[in-house]
Amino acid sequence: MPLADVTRHPFFAPVLRLMPAVRTAGSRPLADLPVLLPPPARRGRRVDDAMDFVKRRPTMTALSALLAILLVFAAFPAIDLAVARLFFDSSHGFTATGAPPFWRNVGRGLEIFIAIAIGLPFVARLLWPDRPMLVRPHKPVFLYLVLAIGPGLLINGLLKTFSARPRPRHLFEFGGEEVFARVGDLSGTCHSNCSFASGEAASAFWLIALVFVVPRAWRLPVFLATFGLLLIVSWTRLAMGGHFLSDVLVAWLVTFLVMIVLRLPVLYRFQPEIDRGVTAALTILGRRLRAAGRFVFSTRA
């Protein structure tokens, strides 16, 4: 079919607006298309424009990426099965021992350690209510809100509860007894703790939120470290047959969307109010705890 006939379809309208030369390509073979691309300078400007849009509209960008992932995997469910087969051995099944379980436990341990460490300034304020806070309270508040709303409420509370999607290791295709359900299919046979989406991938992605609260000089090292851990934890969930690729990607993007939505109000817009409110509440509670402690010990004496 001539290229001109194909490109008349409305689907290609946005592409044609970006590449006017394609309109006149006629029936030229696809191999000739690279010569029709804009010159490097124009392509560079378009990349800059795209990056500028991402910076100015991060919420829209994250939401668009999430919707795109959902549509792609709903339209092409074979992608999930093909990726799952890469980790499946017909004689041994999915990996249950070795490196994946080890790194899964490492990831869990680091997440728990960091979640506890983030709250230590609050504990210190309770114990010594009249001393200055070790960090400004809005930073731990931001991290805990992202964890509670993203991996906690949206992923584990809603999606995993109501998606009804069986895990790869439970499917007929991989030696199980359940039927595959694509993204968006709520008629699956899973009744609780389902595959969609990955709670552990979401909680691993949560660690990237540290980039928003550490000093500027630490941001790149923190990002590289947390992103590396994210890849390892997500790989373990695929290798162990616990999740599909779409489960992992959706968990990433849902958590990232929560970060972006909370970033401005918590870290900037309402930051003074959060700092004052949390500090005052911890001070009052700490003084009452100290008074209660003195009363208890004086009574025993």
Side-chain angles (χ1 to χ4, degrees):
M1 181 182 294
L3 181 61
D5 294 340
V6 176
T7 55
R8 288 194 187 101
H9 194 280
F11 177 81
F12 292 94
V15 179
L16 295 179
R17 284 197 292 269
L18 295 175
M19 298 175 58
V22 176
R23 298 177 183 170
T24 60
S27 58
R28 296 183 66 179
L30 293 178
D32 292 344
L33 283 179
V35 302
L36 301 176
L37 291 174
R42 189 180 302 175
R43 291 203 300 269
R45 286 197 299 272
R46 287 172 181 169
V47 171
D48 291 341
D49 291 343
M51 294 303 297
D52 183 60
F53 177 82
V54 171
K55 292 178 181 178
R56 290 185 292 106
R57 299 285 188 272
T59 304
M60 182 62 68
T61 301
L63 185 59
S64 300
L66 176 60
L67 293 176
I69 290 294
L70 291 172
L71 291 174
V72 166
F73 281 92
F76 304 101
I79 298 175
D80 271 332
L81 290 173
V83 173
R85 287 192 183 96
L86 297 176
F87 300 94
F88 180 74
D89 186 325
S90 57
S91 58
H92 300 94
F94 290 101
T95 302
T97 60
F102 170 78
W103 286 109
R104 180 192 186 191
N105 292 331
V106 169
R108 282 177 166 178
L110 286 173
E111 291 162 17
I112 294 172
F113 173 78
I114 292 174
I116 294 173
I118 290 169
L120 291 181
F122 293 162
V123 175
R125 185 70 178 188
L126 290 174
L127 297 175
W128 299 282
D130 296 317
R131 293 186 180 182
M133 289 281 294
L134 298 175
V135 298
R136 301 175 73 179
H138 68 277
K139 294 182 178 182
V141 167
F142 169 73
L143 295 172
Y144 280 137
L145 283 176
V146 172
L147 179 63
I149 297 175
L153 175 63
L154 297 180
I155 299 297
N156 287 294
L158 295 178
L159 292 180
K160 291 179 73 67
T161 302
F162 299 106
S163 65
R165 189 183 203 189
R167 298 176 183 272
R169 59 174 175 258
H170 296 155
L171 299 182
F172 284 113
E173 291 88 341
F174 305 113
E177 300 180 352
E178 300 192 41
V179 178
F180 172 74
R182 72 177 68 197
V183 170
D185 183 359
L186 302 181
S187 61
T189 53
C190 175
H191 302 294
S192 64
N193 193 26
C194 302
S195 183
F196 186 81
S198 174
E200 291 182 44
S203 58
F205 196 97
W206 163 71
L207 295 179
I208 294 180
L210 292 168
V211 173
F212 293 103
V213 301
V214 298
R216 184 177 297 273
W218 295 6
R219 288 178 184 174
L220 180 58
V222 168
F223 172 76
L224 294 176
T226 54
F227 187 72
L229 180 64
L230 168 67
L231 294 179
I232 291 173
V233 170
S234 300
W235 163 72
T236 66
R237 304 312 294 134
L238 297 174
M240 297 176 69
H243 289 287
F244 295 101
L245 178 61
S246 58
D247 301 333
V248 170
L249 296 179
V250 168
W252 290 7
L253 290 170
V254 168
T255 309
F256 180 64
L257 185 60
V258 173
M259 286 184 203
I260 296 302
V261 169
L262 293 177
R263 182 179 64 95
L264 283 179
V266 177
L267 295 182
Y268 298 98
R269 190 170 301 162
F270 300 109
Q271 170 247 306
E273 292 83 354
I274 293 173
D275 286 348
R276 287 195 298 268
V278 173
T279 301
L282 291 174
T283 301
I284 294 172
L285 182 57
R287 288 172 178 171
R288 289 181 178 177
L289 289 175
R290 294 184 70 174
R294 285 194 295 267
F295 174 77
V296 169
F297 286 109
S298 64
T299 303
R300 289 183 177 181

